[in-house]
Amino acid sequence: MTTAYERFLDYANRADPYPLFPELRETPVARQPDGSYVVSTYREIVALLHDPRVSSDLRNLPEIANIRIAPDDAAPQLPPEFIRRDPPDHDRLRAMVMKHFGPPGAPGRVAGMEPRILQITTELIDRLADRHRIDIVDDFAYPLPVTVICELLGVPREDEPLFHRWSQIAVGTNDPTTGSLVERNRRRFETMAQLGRYLDGLADAHLRAPGDDLLSALVTDDEPARPDVLSTAALLLIAGHETTVNLIANGMLTLLRHPHVLDRLRREPGYAVKVVEELLRYEPPIHMPGPRRTALADITIAGTTIPKGSVIVLVLASGSRDPARFADPDRFDPDRPDNQHLGFGGGIHYCFGAPLARLETRLALGELARRLSGPRLVTDPPPYRPTPNLRGPEHLLIDVDGIRAADDPVRPERVLHP
Amino acid sequence: MRVVVDLTRCQGYGQCVFAAPGVFRMPHAESLMYSGDADRDQVLRAAAACPVQAVLVDEDTVLGRPEGPATPHGDTPVGRIVIVGASLTGLRAAATLRREGYRGALTMIGDEPGEPYDRPPLSKQALTGRSATLDTSLPRRIELDAEWMRGVAAVGVDLDHRRVHLADGRAVEYDRLLIATGVRARPWPNPQEAALDGVVVLRTRQDAEDLRRRLAARPRVLVIGGGFTGSEIASVCRELDLRVTLAERGPAPLQGALGKVIGQIAADMQRDHGVDLRCGVTVTALEGDREGRLCRARLSDGSVLDVELAVAALGSVCNVDWLEGSGLAAGPWGVGCDAGCRVFNANGMVRDDVFVAGDVARFPHPVYGYRFLTLEHWGNAVGQARVAAHNMISAPADRQPHLALPVFWSAQFGVNIKAVGVPAFSDEVVIAQGSVAERRFVAVYGHRGRISAAVTFDQAMWLDFYRDLIEKAAPFPPDADMVGRQAEMRPVPAGIAVRAPAIQDATVVVTGDDLEGRRATLLGAHGSGETVR
Ligand SMILES: Cc1cc2nc3c(=O)[nH]c(=O)nc-3n(C[C@H](O)[C@H](O)[C@H](O)COP(=O)(O)OP(=O)(O)OC[C@H]3O[C@@H](n4cnc5c(N)ncnc54)[C@H](O)[C@@H]3O)c2cc1C
Ligand code: HEM
Ligand code: SF4
C-alpha cells in the first residue's frame, strides 16, 4: 500500500494533487516508510515553522555532513546557502543581502523596480503582437522573472542556458523521488559547486567594475566571505527564476478557469493584489520545501513524537487548503478575508524574495488580463514539470483573438463562462 | 486611509515595508513604525502582503446593521447596550457586538473629544514628528451604527435602574453595560510641582501633541520612571538627539516588569544610546523659575539637574472614580470581574448585566494560578473586548472565558521587545536563543519548574513557540536542543520582587486556538484533568 504522500509524489497526480490532501491531513504528522515525517495540517505546519527545535541544516545528519565532492573536480565545494542554515549563521547571511534588498538598509529598492518590471512585461507582450497561439510559460512567465533576477543580481541574461541547466539539476535534488537523501545532496553539492565557479568569475568581474546590482554590493562589502557570497548568489539565482514562473503560469491557468475573476481583474487592476495572495494559497508554486528540516530533539506534536534526527517534510500546499483554517478551502476566492496562506512559508525562512515575486506577478497578471483579447486554454490540464515540490506547468498553451496595444484603454469584453 | 498595525501579532517580516515604503518604516532590525493616515493603494498592498495579517485598515465593505432577531442569544431581551469609555476596548467591543449580529441600540460614551485613536504610537514614532500629523485614529472596521456621546463623562451608575448618569445631567438606560474606562497617567504627586510649566505626563493624544511641541524646543529632559513608557520616551529623546536623564527608583529600568536580568540589559542599552541613566534614586523636588517654568530637579542622592522638561512616567491610575458608591467591586485595583468579564459587586458576586474589559479590568487568569491580573496591554484590550462583547449577548451556556496569554510589545532604542505570558510570575530565567551581546535573544522565564513567560529582543518570530509551551505548562528550562542557542543554557534567578503569596500553585493547560475552542484544563494530582469552563 502506498501512503497518501507517496501518491502525492507520483507524477500521475501532478496535474491535480489536491484531492489527496484530505487523506493526507487525516494523519497530520505521518511517518513514512523512509523514516521521514510528513506534516500536512495548517496548525502543525505553522507550529513547526516556528519551532526552534527544527533545524534546516542537514549537516546535523552525519551522512550529509560527511559529503565531500570529488577532489579532482576543479570547482570547490560551497558552504550551504542560508535556506539550509540555522541561526545565528542564517540570520547573519540573510541580513548580509537584506541590507541591499530591503529594510532597514534599502527599504525602497523592490518598490523602485516597478517601472522596469512593467517595461519588461510590456515588451514581452508586445512581442506577441501577431500571434494567436501563445505558450504562457516560454513566451512570458519564464523570461520575465529571469530577466528581472539577472538584472538584480548582475548576471548576464545571455548566460541563461548555462545557469538554467545547473539550476534545474539543483531544483531536482529537492525531489524525493530522485534518489536517497545522501545521493541527492551529493548531486546538489556538485551542481552548486559548478554554479559557484561560474559566479566566482562574475564576482571577480564585478569587483573590478561594480554596478548597482546585488552581486557587486556583496563583493564590495568587506564583511562577507567569498564562499558565502557565492552560495547566497546561487540561492537567489535559483530561487528567483524557478519559482515566480510557476506563480504566473498557475495564475493564468487559474484565471482562465475562473473567467469572472479574470474579467474583474481586467477592469480593476488593483484586484491583482488579492488575486496574487489567493493564488499563493490556492495554486502555490512550492507545494513543500525540499526535505531539509530535521528534528534536533524529540518533538511531540498532534499526538505524534517525531524522534530526534528525523527528516521533517512540511506540505505547505496542504496546510493552505486545510478546512480547519480556511472556509471552503478548495474554492478560488480572492476576496477571502484573513488569508494567512503558507505560499511563502513562515518563520525565519519566510521567502526572501516574496516582495519581488508579488510585484512581478501582480504586474504580469494585470497586464496579461488587460492585453490578451479572448484568451482561452488549448489543453486543460496542461503538461506539468516533473517535480512535486516545485509545481507548475511545463507549458501553458492558450489561443487569443489578438493582443491589445499597451496604451489601449480597457473595453468591455464578452466573457465566456464555462 | 487609516492604518493601525496589530503589533502583538506582527512578527517583523517587513513585507509591509516592501509593499509600502512610504507608509511603513523598519529603521532598525525589527521594530515597525508607520504613519496613521496613508495612501490607499499602498496600504492595501501592505495589508494583503502581511503574512500574519496584522495590518488593519478601514474596511472597504462596511457592513450595515445586521439582519436578524433583536435578541440573537440568551433569554433576557438585550435591546440596549451602553459602553462607557470609547477607546480601543470600547470600539473593539462594539465591533464584535455588530459582527456577532447584535441589532439593538448601542451607545458609546467617551469623555475624550474626537474619534477613538491608538495610544502606543504616542510614546514612539508620533513623538519624533516624522509623521505629518499626530492622527492615530483607529480604522473603521465595521459600520457600528452607534449613538456617540463624545466629550461627556459618565459620573455614576445606578445598578437597580440600569442607568448610567452623565456629567451633563443626562441618563442613559441599558440592558447590558460595558465598562471600558481604562486608566489615566499617574500625576506627579506634588500638585504645586505638577502644575509647573514643563512637568507633563503622557496618556492622551493631547498629551502627546503637547509633549511633541515641547520636545521641538530642544529642552534638557528628565524622565521620571523607567517603565516601558518612560524608557520609550527616553529613547525618543535620544533619537531627537536631546539630552535626557532617566531617574528610576529601582535598580534598573524595566526591572519591575521583566526582572533583574532584562533590567540590566535595558540599562546597558540606555547608556549605550547616551541616556544619563540614574537608578536607585528618586526625584525629591521639581523647582520652577519666577514664571512658573520648570528649571531644576533634585534627586535623592543629592544631585541637582537643570532641566526644562520633566515627564512623569509613574504608571497609571484606574478610571473608577465614577463607580464610587455604585456597589460594584471597583477601586484602585480596577474593576473586578470573572474570566467571562462579568463584574463583581461589592460582595464579590458576579452580575450578569455589567461587564468590564481592557486596562481597567481585573480578572483571574487560570494559567497564573487563578490570580487576579490587570494587564495594561493593547493585545489584552482587544482580546478581552471580544470576549466581553460576545458574553454580553450570549446565553450562559455560550459564554466564553478570556484565556488569552498576555502579549506585549515595546519599541525602544531600535529594539523590538516583545513578551508573552507574565514575566512577573517567575522565579528563574534563562537565555534560550540568541545573543545578549547583540541584543537579539529570547529569554524564557520559569515558575516552579514550568515555563511562565518569554521575552524576545528582535526575535519576535519565535514568540508563538513559547506561547504554546506556556499553554502546555511545559517544564522549565526548555529543551536545550535548539537552533540559535549561542551559550550554555544556565537558569539564573529572575530577580523579580515576588508579590504573590507562596501558595500551592495550580497547573493549568490551555488548548484550542480560536475563541470558541479555548479551554483551560486543571491538571489533578494524577495528571488527568477536568475541563473548567
Ligand atoms: C503612551 C502609551 C504607549 C503605549 N504603548 C503600548 C505598547 O507599546 N504596547 C502595548 O501593548 N500597549 C501599549 N499601551 C497600552 C494600550 O494603549 C492600552 O492597553 C489601551 O489603550 C487600552 O485601551 P482601553 O480602551 O482599555 O483604555 P483607554 O485607552 O485608556 O481608554 C479608556 C477611555 O475611557 C475614557 N474614560 C475614562 N473615564 C471615563 C468616564 N467616566 N466617562 C467616559 N469616558 C471615560 C478615557 O478618556 C479613554 O478615552 C500604551 C499606552 C500609552 C498611553
Ligand atoms: C512566487 C514565487 C516564490 C515562491 C512561491 C517562493 C516560496 C518560498 C518558500 C515557501 C520559501 C520557504 C522555504 C522554507 O521554509 O524551507 C522560500 C524561501 C526563499 N525564497 Fe522564495 N519563493 C518565490 C520567489 C522567490 C524569489 C523571486 C526569490 C529571490 C529573489 C526567492 C528567494 C528565496 C530565498 C533566498 C529563500 C530562503 C529564505 C531563508 O532561508 O531565509 N524566492 N521561498
Ligand atoms: S508581520 Fe509586521 S512587519 Fe511583517 S508585514 Fe506584517 S505588520 Fe509588517
Side-chain angles (χ1 to χ4, degrees), chain A residues 43 50 52 91 340 347 358, chain B residues 9 11 13 440 461 483 513:
Chain A
R43 192 189 144 95
H50 292 87
D91 299 8
Q340 287 187 50
R358 283 190 166 106
Chain B
R9 291 177 72 106
Q11 296 182 12
Y13 286 101
R440 277 167 58 78
M461 279 184 197
V483 299
D513 7 51

Side-chain angles (χ1 to χ4, degrees), chain B residues 85 87 89 111-112 119 123-124 154 181 203 359 377-378 409:
Chain B
S87 178
T89 300
D111 62 3
E112 290 190 85
R119 294 182 202 275
S123 53
K124 306 179 185 77
T181 45
R203 178 75 196 177
D359 282 9
H377 302 168
W378 198 96
W409 85 93

Side-chain angles (χ1 to χ4, degrees), chain B residues 295-328:
Chain B
C295 60
R296 209 172 296 114
R298 293 186 186 281
L299 306 188
S300 57
D301 62 0
S303 53
V304 179
L305 300 169
D306 294 327
V307 289
E308 295 90 48
L309 180 63
V311 189
L314 304 169
S316 56
V317 180
C318 293
N319 289 324
V320 292
D321 325 49
W322 67 289
L323 296 170
E324 214 183 301
S326 65
L328 295 176

Side-chain angles (χ1 to χ4, degrees), chain B residues 2-7 16 22-26 32-38 56 118 120-121 125-126 131 135-136 378 409:
Chain B
R2 293 168 189 182
V3 49
V4 160
V5 178
D6 179 346
L7 288 161
C16 53
V23 182
F24 302 87
R25 289 185 306 126
M26 205 172 245
L32 181 67
M33 312 277 162
Y34 56 94
S35 42
D37 189 20
L56 311 176
D118 205 29
Q125 69 262 33
S131 42
D135 183 7
T136 65
W378 198 96
W409 85 93

Side-chain angles (χ1 to χ4, degrees), chain B residues 376-407:
Chain B
E376 294 174 27
H377 302 168
W378 198 96
N380 183 65
V382 166
Q384 208 169 19
R386 226 177 110 191
V387 172
H390 171 87
N391 290 348
M392 286 169 89
I393 51 170
S394 294
D398 298 325
R399 286 187 195 129
Q400 286 151 5
H402 175 50
L403 289 175
L405 283 182
V407 179

Side-chain angles (χ1 to χ4, degrees), chain B residues 331-342:
Chain B
W333 56 82
V335 178
C337 65
D338 73 354
C341 308
R342 290 180 299 170

